[in-house]
Amino acid sequence: MCRILHAGFLKNHAAIAHNRRSVPCMIYEINLCVMDLRTPHGVNLTVLLSNSVSPLPFLSVSAVKFEDCQHSREVGFVSNDPNFSVRPDGTVYAEQEVANLSEPVQFMVTARGLHDLHIWETTVKLALAGHPHPSALTKVTKEDEFRNTKTQSSSANGLRRQKRDWVIPPINVPENSRGPFPHMLVRIRSDQDKDVGIRYSITGAGADQPPSGIYNIDPISGNMFVTQPLDREERASFHLRAHAVDMNGNQVENPIDLYIYVIDMNDNRPEFQNQVYNGSVAEGSKPGSSVMQVTATDSDDSTTANGMVRYRILSQTPHSPIPNMFTINSETGDIVTVAAGLDREKVSQYTIIVQATDMEGNLNFGLSNTATALISITDINDNPPELTVRTFSGEVPENKVNVVVTNLTVVDRDQPHSPNWNAVYRIVSGDPSGHFTIRTNPITNEGMLTVVKPVDFEMNRAFMLTVVVSNQAHLASGIQSSLQSTAGVTISVQDVNEPPVFPVNPKTIRFEEGVPAGTTLTVFAAQDPDHFIHQTVRYSKLSDPANWLKINRTNGQITTMALLDRESMYVKNNVYEATFLAFDNGSPQASGTGTLQIYLIDVNDNAPVLIPREAQVCERARPNSRINITASDADADPNVGPFVFELPSFPASVRRNWTISRLSGDYAQLRLRIPYLEAAVYEIPIIVSDSGNPPLSNRSVIRVKVCPCDDNGDCSATGAVAAAGLGTGAIIAILICIIILLSMVLLFVVWMKRREKERQAKPLLIDPEDDVRDNILKYDEEGGGEEDQDYDLSQLQQPESLDHIVNKPAGVRRVDERPVIAESQYPVRPSLPHPGDIGDFINDGLRAADNDPTAPPYDSLLVFDYEGSGSTAGSVSSLNSISSGDQDYDYLNDWGPRFKKLADLYGGGDDD
């Protein structure tokens, strides 16, 4: 049961009513004066303020606190009066200055649970102390109390009437009532019904607001009824107001607050949030270890036995090692272990059937429901891996790598493919050089002993390894490692025929270039590593790009077959490379390769060559009429520059016309010795010598074109041609050829234009008059006789103006013409039309258009053409109507003014 707490009173006007329901309740701390306090679902609080105190903004006038039976205090407050608010701690304060409290102020405070759907309401009334205020009466009817009150006004003393407000106690209605309905709840009556006729009504949610129609009241007698069964789970309480008015609708009583509470019945079973719960607990857990929690909710009132759920375990499958390995907290639903002995390797999962019963677990009166809890036993590393045998064996050929020697098998009862099951292998002895490693097969957990470094039969014929296996995860505390986690591995090395090996590979030797053929360079011999087998080694040439070398097949001696030239294209960075093959006579035959590198020392065996071979100068000696020359030499230093350039003595004209001056060690300058030389091409011999020991010389010829130059010292085009040795006749011939070529191009262009013009002038396959593009083709015409060949099509065209109508003489009109009369008047829509006038406006306009003879189509006689005589076409006069007898044309009168003339001509029967 909840307790009502209060902080005391400032005046002796407070009374607190006992809360009779074991439900979450509001606790009120009134800092001023409390007049009345009711149940937490609807409470009237009357607070008296001193006459000398004017409520100010943010003035704390009272405090409303909430506390449920579980002391959660998680609730929010909302006031429906914007002038007053409630803080989270329950303090009621004024939001703004309240100027007048001569009349009591009443507003509603709503408390809402933050974690459930419960709502509590209370009414707070504020009044100034000493002023008339409602009393804490719990009567259904009102009584009048008259007291003599002495006033200070100028009016005569008299009796003042002070009324007491009526307060109806909360009404409790059980849910799911069977009726009959409507069922009377309470009668509301005013003591003024003896004097005037009074009508009663109720308002609020359940009456005139959704869900409406649950409650109604007899307006004459004041009897209030409930019309249908109530469901507390849909709505736990109703707050209505009763009103009393006279026959004119004037209020004769203040509205009465009616609080109706739905009494809970046990009509809902507990419902589990899930039908299947999944939990887990580690194997080997101690008793009392938490496993999981199941939760069931009951829509009934959780503060009563109807909604108080209790849990119990109905069954456990399997029963190993005992039938009751788990227990459940009856109130919270927490499942914990009861006994030790959980072993995943024996039982990996338990199935628990859990029952939830309301009425605090009373199986005789409570409603129950069940759910399934699947408890998985998680693995711990309590089983060390064990090798299947104590000794493994294998063999491996020498000089092989990445070869699996043998597979080490292991047994582990822990969870497969988990860190508790994954095996890790280590070689602890027998392989100091690191020839082997063990990789774990992730699927089978086997250890694959693999060669990672080649083994040599001649050095080690066998290996004895010691292997230890463990798990990727550490063993659980208290578990000892098994002796079977260690094993020995015997590995035999197989001898294979190994290829001969060149001791030095590649082998480098130095020789001067130009050694004669047949010169012995070196002996390039190989050794057979198979010491335990006597084999013969033979040699052959594998690669010799310049074909300079040969090798002795028996002993590997290298000799030359041609001159070694350092300047050969096969020599890279002074090194010539050749590859040789050494093979034995074993079975199968094995061979090895060796590379011989010959470093060629340079000798001065190449004469320098003059650069450039052609040049050009002006016929008159100028400062810039000089030619810079140099030389290139295929040899290497010191058999190259500095070079020596000189002119030969013969012919004498060379030294007479030209001179050479040295610029640097590798460059010289050739220039004219005389001031003028006739334009022509001259071949000037120059002797170039290198710096070798002994030096080599070369007589080279440079072709120099001497030509007349412009002011800038550049050779002109005419001069260049003349300098090239062309005479006047040759120049004229070249010009004639250019003219002929241009004439041929011009003739070709003229011929192409003429051909294009002829192609455009060629007649089409179709007569232009018969061109089908955008033309009207006349295939045939019915026509009339010979008299009907000349006709005017303009009569069939619509005129663009009315001038021809006005000026046309009297006669038959051949076109559809607009009558020349005054235009009809059409209705004009007002500038600010009303939406309802749109239909009338459209109907008026339609009526005016139907009666307007100037509106097309015009009522005129149209003559399209005269067929004439002599036509081969038959007459249409022979065509008869399929109808027989008289026809009634009176219906034309219904077709509007446009058919009025036809109706007059054909309608009317025999009288017409």
Side-chain angles (χ1 to χ4, degrees):
M1 297 296 289
C2 294
R3 296 180 296 110
I4 301 298
L5 304 181
H6 55 90
F9 316 97
L10 297 181
K11 296 181 181 290
N12 295 324
H13 299 294
I16 299 179
H18 182 67
N19 178 24
R20 300 179 179 273
R21 304 190 61 203
S22 57
V23 295
C25 51
M26 278 190 167
I27 299 172
Y28 298 89
E29 272 191 6
I30 306 304
N31 295 330
L32 294 177
C33 179
V34 179
M35 286 302 298
D36 196 4
L37 175 62
R38 294 296 175 187
T39 59
H41 291 272
V43 181
N44 291 331
L45 298 182
T46 302
V47 180
L48 299 183
L49 302 180
S50 173
N51 288 325
S52 60
V53 178
S54 175
L56 298 176
F58 313 110
L59 173 64
S60 177
V61 297
S62 66
V64 180
K65 292 188 176 180
F66 175 87
E67 183 178 276
D68 62 6
C69 296
Q70 298 180 357
H71 307 284
S72 63
R73 292 182 178 272
E74 296 186 3
V75 69
F77 300 98
V78 178
S79 170
N80 67 350
D81 191 337
N83 295 327
F84 300 93
S85 297
V86 185
R87 294 191 179 95
D89 61 354
T91 302
V92 180
Y93 63 94
E95 286 281 1
Q96 57 189 355
E97 183 175 352
V98 181
N100 185 12
L101 276 181
S102 59
E103 294 295 333
V105 176
Q106 178 176 307
F107 56 90
M108 181 70 66
V109 175
T110 303
R112 297 177 181 270
L114 300 181
H115 301 291
D116 53 31
L117 302 179
H118 291 89
I119 299 176
W120 298 270
E121 296 177 341
T122 184
T123 301
V124 178
K125 294 183 179 180
L126 303 180
L128 291 176
H131 282 242
H133 56 272
S135 62
L137 295 181
T138 57
K139 285 188 177 181
V140 177
T141 61
K142 268 186 351 125
E143 296 181 359
D144 294 338
E145 179 181 353
F146 296 90
R147 294 188 301 176
N148 292 329
T149 305
K150 185 176 182 180
T151 61
Q152 302 296 331
S153 60
S154 58
S155 61
N157 294 338
L159 294 178
R160 295 189 62 187
R161 183 180 184 186
Q162 182 174 0
K163 295 183 179 181
R164 289 182 178 177
D165 283 344
W166 49 4
V167 177
I168 298 181
I171 304 170
N172 296 327
V173 181
E175 66 172 335
N176 304 323
S177 176
R178 297 184 179 180
F181 296 101
H183 176 70
M184 180 177 173
L185 298 179
V186 69
R187 180 184 179 188
I188 301 174
R189 175 178 164 274
S190 174
D191 56 357
Q192 297 189 31
D193 58 357
K194 299 177 182 179
D195 303 329
V196 296
I198 295 180
R199 293 294 181 266
Y200 302 96
S201 63
I202 54 175
T203 60
D208 61 341
Q209 299 176 13
S212 58
I214 297 178
Y215 302 98
N216 58 31
I217 190 171
D218 188 328
I220 305 299
S221 64
N223 294 333
M224 190 177 77
F225 301 89
V226 58
T227 63
Q228 63 189 35
L230 302 180
D231 188 355
R232 192 203 65 87
E233 286 69 43
E234 292 184 2
R235 190 178 182 95
S237 64
F238 296 86
H239 178 198
L240 307 177
R241 284 194 173 184
H243 306 270
V245 297
D246 58 16
M247 302 302 293
N248 296 325
N250 298 321
Q251 178 178 317
V252 297
E253 302 289 353
N254 291 330
I256 308 171
D257 289 320
L258 302 176
Y259 295 96
I260 304 173
Y261 302 114
V262 183
I263 302 175
D264 183 44
M265 297 295 178
N266 190 18
D267 57 345
N268 291 278
R269 292 180 179 274
E271 296 291 339
F272 283 95
Q273 294 181 357
N274 303 304
Q275 280 302 312
V276 178
Y277 289 85
N278 292 284
S280 63
V281 63
E283 61 176 330
S285 296
K286 298 179 180 180
S289 300
S290 177
V291 178
M292 61 192 302
Q293 183 184 29
V294 296
T295 304
T297 58
D298 196 316
S299 299
D300 292 325
D301 192 350
S302 59
T303 61
T304 66
N306 296 336
M308 295 181 179
V309 180
R310 298 295 182 264
Y311 305 91
R312 70 190 188 104
I313 294 178
L314 294 182
S315 64
Q316 166 193 312
T317 305
H319 293 171
S320 175
I322 60 175
N324 299 317
M325 287 293 297
F326 306 93
T327 186
I328 187 171
N329 188 306
S330 62
E331 295 185 0
T332 63
D334 291 322
I335 299 177
V336 297
T337 59
V338 177
L342 293 175
D343 190 350
R344 189 204 65 84
E345 287 71 39
K346 294 181 180 179
V347 179
S348 61
Q349 188 180 69
Y350 289 90
T351 301
I352 304 297
I353 304 300
V354 180
Q355 183 184 56
T357 307
D358 57 16
M359 296 299 291
E360 298 184 281
N362 190 318
L363 299 179
N364 295 325
F365 305 101
L367 302 177
S368 300
N369 217 333
T370 60
T372 301
L374 301 179
I375 303 175
S376 299
I377 309 303
T378 59
D379 183 48
I380 64 172
N381 193 10
D382 56 346
N383 293 281
E386 298 178 359
L387 292 164
T388 56
V389 296
R390 300 301 301 273
T391 303
F392 296 88
S393 62
E395 59 183 18
V396 59
E398 63 174 334
N399 302 322
K400 295 287 186 177
V401 295
N402 296 325
V403 176
V404 177
V405 179
T406 184
N407 289 326
L408 311 179
T409 56
V410 70
V411 175
D412 196 322
R413 294 184 297 169
D414 289 321
Q415 180 71 39
H417 307 290
S418 68
N420 300 330
W421 178 81
N422 295 335
V424 178
Y425 300 87
R426 293 181 297 113
I427 299 174
V428 295
S429 65
D431 184 24
S433 300
H435 291 281
F436 305 95
T437 188
I438 304 178
R439 301 185 178 97
T440 303
N441 188 323
I443 300 176
T444 63
N445 213 25
E446 293 180 347
M448 300 179 294
L449 182 63
T450 308
V451 181
V452 293
K453 184 177 179 181
V455 294
D456 191 353
F457 175 80
E458 286 70 28
M459 298 183 63
N460 295 292
R461 296 189 178 185
F463 291 87
M464 294 295 297
L465 307 181
T466 302
V467 177
V468 175
V469 62
S470 60
N471 285 128
Q472 184 178 349
H474 295 290
L475 284 174
S477 59
I479 306 299
Q480 299 296 328
S481 177
S482 173
L483 296 177
Q484 295 184 5
S485 61
T486 303
V489 182
T490 302
I491 302 175
S492 299
V493 181
Q494 297 176 339
D495 186 25
V496 296
N497 184 22
E498 300 177 76
V501 178
F502 291 91
V504 180
N505 191 15
K507 183 177 181 180
T508 303
I509 59 176
R510 297 174 64 90
F511 268 88
E512 285 188 354
E513 64 173 331
V515 294
T519 303
T520 300
L521 298 181
T522 185
V523 175
F524 197 27
Q527 299 175 358
D528 191 348
D530 295 319
H531 303 306
F532 301 101
I533 303 175
H534 180 69
Q535 298 180 138
T536 303
V537 179
R538 294 292 182 262
Y539 303 93
S540 65
K541 186 168 64 173
L542 190 62
S543 173
D544 183 12
N547 199 24
W548 288 344
L549 308 174
K550 66 179 180 179
I551 186 170
N552 188 288
R553 180 177 176 82
T554 304
N555 58 15
Q557 181 177 338
I558 307 295
T559 58
T560 62
M561 295 189 302
L563 291 177
L564 304 182
D565 186 6
R566 191 197 68 85
E567 289 75 37
S568 171
M569 59 181 296
Y570 301 106
V571 178
K572 307 297 181 184
N573 297 326
N574 301 328
V575 175
Y576 180 75
E577 229 175 51
T579 306
F580 300 92
L581 183 67
F583 52 92
D584 58 21
N585 58 348
S587 180
Q589 190 181 68
S591 61
T593 59
T595 301
L596 179 64
Q597 295 178 341
I598 305 174
Y599 186 89
L600 297 177
I601 302 173
D602 183 49
V603 297
N604 193 16
D605 56 348
N606 292 279
V609 179
L610 183 67
I611 299 175
R613 305 305 297 269
E614 294 183 355
Q616 178 178 289
V617 296
C618 297
E619 60 184 0
R620 298 186 181 276
R622 295 188 179 186
N624 56 354
S625 297
R626 299 172 182 178
I627 303 172
N628 293 330
I629 58 176
T630 184
S632 64
D633 197 324
D635 294 324
D637 190 64
N639 299 319
V640 289
F643 300 104
V644 176
F645 303 90
E646 57 182 346
L647 297 174
S649 302
F650 182 82
S653 60
V654 174
R655 290 194 172 185
R656 182 176 61 251
N657 297 334
W658 304 91
T659 182
I660 291 179
S661 58
R662 186 182 184 89
L663 294 179
S664 64
D666 295 333
Y667 292 90
Q669 197 173 71
L670 176 67
R671 67 179 185 275
L672 284 174
R673 180 187 292 273
I674 58 178
Y676 174 79
L677 183 64
E678 184 180 356
V681 178
Y682 299 88
E683 294 185 353
I684 304 171
I686 299 176
I687 300 174
V688 184
S689 302
D690 59 20
S691 299
N693 187 17
L696 295 180
S697 300
N698 183 25
R699 181 185 176 96
S700 300
V701 176
I702 180 172
R703 290 172 54 87
V704 179
K705 298 178 182 179
V706 179
C707 62
C709 298
D710 54 17
D711 296 338
N712 296 326
D714 298 328
C715 185
S716 61
T718 305
V721 175
L726 297 178
T728 304
I731 296 174
I732 293 175
I734 292 174
L735 293 176
I736 292 175
C737 291
I738 294 174
I739 293 173
I740 292 174
L741 181 61
L742 293 176
S743 300
M744 291 178 64
V745 172
L746 182 61
L747 289 175
F748 178 76
V749 171
V750 172
W751 178 77
M752 290 295 295
K753 289 184 173 293
R754 181 179 181 84
R755 185 176 179 181
E756 178 68 19
K757 186 179 297 183
E758 291 177 354
R759 187 182 66 82
Q760 295 178 355
K762 187 176 181 179
L764 299 175
L765 295 178
I766 303 176
D767 192 333
E769 295 182 358
D770 296 336
D771 192 1
V772 297
R773 294 173 295 178
D774 298 334
N775 289 310
I776 298 177
L777 302 182
K778 299 178 292 182
Y779 293 99
D780 199 357
E781 57 184 7
E782 182 180 69
E786 297 296 328
E787 301 175 4
D788 189 30
Q789 299 298 321
D790 186 13
Y791 44 83
D792 185 9
L793 291 178
S794 63
Q795 300 298 325
L796 302 178
Q797 299 176 354
Q798 178 69 30
E800 296 181 357
S801 64
L802 302 178
D803 297 337
H804 69 288
I805 300 176
V806 178
N807 301 324
K808 184 177 180 180
V812 177
R813 292 179 293 175
R814 300 177 61 87
V815 295
D816 191 13
E817 300 173 349
R818 179 178 183 273
V820 184
I821 59 176
E823 294 185 356
S824 301
Q825 297 296 324
Y826 285 83
V828 179
R829 192 179 181 190
S831 58
L832 296 176
H834 189 274
D837 299 335
I838 295 178
D840 297 336
F841 172 77
I842 294 175
N843 293 329
D844 294 343
L846 180 61
R847 190 178 303 107
D850 289 339
N851 294 279
D852 184 8
T854 63
Y858 309 119
D859 189 9
S860 59
L861 178 64
L862 303 180
V863 178
F864 291 97
D865 209 344
Y866 172 71
E867 183 177 7
S869 62
S871 173
T872 58
S875 175
V876 298
S877 62
S878 61
L879 300 179
N880 296 324
S881 174
I882 61 174
S883 62
S884 60
D886 295 335
Q887 184 173 356
D888 186 7
Y889 295 97
D890 291 340
Y891 63 88
L892 295 176
N893 292 318
D894 301 331
W895 285 15
R898 296 183 181 276
F899 295 90
K900 186 176 186 306
K901 185 176 290 186
L902 287 176
D904 295 339
L905 292 176
Y906 294 96
D910 298 337
D911 296 340
D912 296 337

